[in-house]
Amino acid sequence: MKHAISCCLLGLGLTAATSGVQADTTLRLGHLWPAQSAVNQDLIEAWAKQVKEDSDGALQVEIYPSQTLSKANSAYEGVVNGVADITITLQGYTAGRFPLSEIVQLPGVSASAPQGACILQSLYDDNDLGDEYADAHPLFFFTTGPAPLHTRETEVQSPEDLAGLRIRTPSEVSSDMLESMGADPVGMPAPDIYTSMQRGVIDGLSLPWEAMKVFQVNELANYHLDIPYYTGALMAIMNRDTYEALSPEARKAIDANSGMRWAEKAGKVFYGLDTQGKEQAREQGDTIHRVEDPLNDPQWSGPLKRGTERYLERLKERGIDNAQAIYDKALSLRDGKCAL
């Protein structure tokens, strides 16, 4: 009987530290941030510690940073297929899989990481995201802060300055925006940016200030256009079978560390890191231009509105008839429940 239980747990990606139904369990959590980063230490390790405490030590979380368990662009599928028990990753890395969730990424929806986290978690809690996460067990949702544009050699102040520039993009939404502004989007996960920019594969990138510091890309960028044209959506997701195999007490500990409580914590962590990343660029003497209200700016509003309309129309063509309604609700949350 002891052997059967261990085999069952191991088959679900769990490790039994002791025998019996209440056996201690190790959950493998993979993500893309470096081990020494504040995202790993202040958010992910903090979550793991709290789960351990709330389960009285029955749940241990083994963390695999820097894509060591699975690559960023296959992290979600890795959890669904049991390669990892938990992952924290961006929806945009699984192209086209989370079209309604990615609406929160559109320009003007969110002005900060805390606001974006509130909007995305609220949409999920209100059952507005359909069955996008039906094959996994969601823990919590959050966002980055708005992502400026960063370039190495070209100073960008108008859409015309982006013409022909190869700009790294993290998602379909970001690609729509960049194309509408005249740039040439190049898709790649954040950990691959530094080498690509260093080698001249890309001319610039779209990345929140937080990630510019975390992935050390501030070292390479000299010019920054602080235009809130895009926000990255993120998720903390657990393998459904792994969750259901836990004891009721262990599930209770996971549930206690899910939802809006941790969405808010994540938003605060990313907001603090955005501040640090921008300050680092200033201290380096980089050139930073700011577009205060891009959706009403005479140069930028046209391209951004066209990019938004293109994305929503594309979802409608895919048979997603409630895309406009979800966009409108996101804006309503921005101005209401999640207002700054």
Side-chain angles (χ1 to χ4, degrees):
M1 184 65 168
K2 181 190 300 185
H3 178 72
I5 291 173
S6 287
C7 287
C8 176
L9 292 172
L10 290 169
L12 293 171
L14 305 173
T15 301
T18 62
S19 63
V21 175
Q22 300 300 323
D24 291 353
T25 300
T26 297
L27 302 171
R28 297 166 300 160
L29 188 161
H31 67 81
L32 60 94
W33 292 273
Q36 71 275 15
S37 69
V39 174
N40 181 63
Q41 296 174 357
D42 297 346
L43 175 62
I44 299 172
E45 288 184 356
W47 183 86
K49 180 181 178 182
Q50 194 63 55
V51 166
K52 180 179 179 180
E53 290 180 2
D54 290 349
S55 66
D56 294 326
L59 288 178
Q60 310 280 337
V61 181
E62 197 170 75
I63 299 172
Y64 294 80
S66 299
Q67 306 185 97
T68 50
L69 198 55
S70 59
K71 294 295 183 182
N73 58 6
S74 60
Y76 181 79
E77 290 303 319
V79 162
V80 171
N81 297 327
V83 174
D85 299 307
I86 301 169
T87 193
I88 300 179
T89 190
L90 285 84
Q91 282 87 334
Y93 287 168
T94 308
R97 178 66 180 78
F98 307 100
L100 291 176
S101 298
E102 291 196 70
I103 285 174
V104 76
Q105 301 179 145
L106 293 169
V109 172
S110 170
S112 70
Q115 185 174 54
C118 177
I119 293 170
L120 185 53
Q121 185 68 51
S122 295
L123 289 174
Y124 176 77
D125 291 344
D126 292 346
N127 298 313
D128 289 316
L129 302 180
D131 61 354
E132 290 189 349
Y133 305 94
D135 51 359
H137 178 79
L139 299 175
F140 58 93
F141 298 90
F142 58 107
T143 72
T144 68
L149 295 173
H150 316 273
T151 49
R152 191 170 192 181
E153 298 179 358
T154 303
E155 185 173 358
V156 176
Q157 297 188 63
S158 70
E160 290 74 22
D161 296 330
L162 283 169
L165 293 186
R166 297 160 297 176
I167 304 294
R168 175 265 179 179
T169 177
S171 73
E172 182 179 5
V173 173
S174 176
S175 293
D176 281 345
M177 296 300 118
L178 289 170
E179 286 181 352
S180 72
M181 292 186 286
D184 182 10
V186 180
M188 69 178 64
D192 298 340
I193 292 173
Y194 188 95
T195 301
S196 296
M197 195 161 175
Q198 189 178 46
R199 295 176 177 175
V201 175
I202 55 176
D203 302 303
L205 62 145
S206 161
L207 208 62
W209 286 112
E210 155 267 324
M212 290 296 289
K213 181 177 182 180
V214 168
F215 294 101
Q216 302 179 327
V217 192
N218 264 339
E219 296 177 5
L220 301 178
N222 297 306
Y223 302 100
H224 311 268
L225 183 68
D226 204 349
I227 176 172
Y229 89 101
Y230 164 81
T231 295
L234 297 108
M235 56 184 162
I237 296 290
M238 187 172 184
N239 178 278
R240 180 171 294 280
D241 290 338
T242 298
Y243 174 79
E244 293 177 352
L246 297 175
S247 69
E249 293 78 13
R251 287 199 300 271
K252 185 177 179 180
I254 294 293
D255 295 345
N257 292 283
S258 300
M260 189 62 78
R261 175 190 174 196
W262 276 91
E264 291 174 347
K265 287 180 181 288
K268 291 177 181 177
V269 168
F270 273 70
Y271 181 80
L273 292 173
D274 277 337
T275 302
Q276 294 174 26
K278 189 171 185 177
E279 184 57 32
Q280 183 186 57
R282 283 200 185 103
E283 291 175 353
Q284 292 177 176
D286 292 357
T287 299
I288 302 175
H289 297 289
R290 170 76 179 172
V291 181
E292 293 293 342
D293 187 8
L295 290 181
N296 291 303
D297 185 271
Q299 293 190 94
W300 295 98
S301 62
L304 294 182
K305 288 178 179 178
R306 286 195 298 273
T308 297
E309 292 168 1
R310 181 187 306 168
Y311 182 73
L312 294 175
E313 183 62 31
R314 185 179 298 156
L315 297 195
K316 187 176 180 180
E317 292 171 355
R318 289 173 54 183
I320 304 174
D321 297 327
N322 61 336
Q324 183 66 50
I326 299 302
Y327 175 68
D328 292 340
K329 179 165 183 178
L331 296 179
S332 177
L333 287 165
R334 176 200 66 186
D335 298 332
K337 175 183 177 181
C338 303
L340 294 176

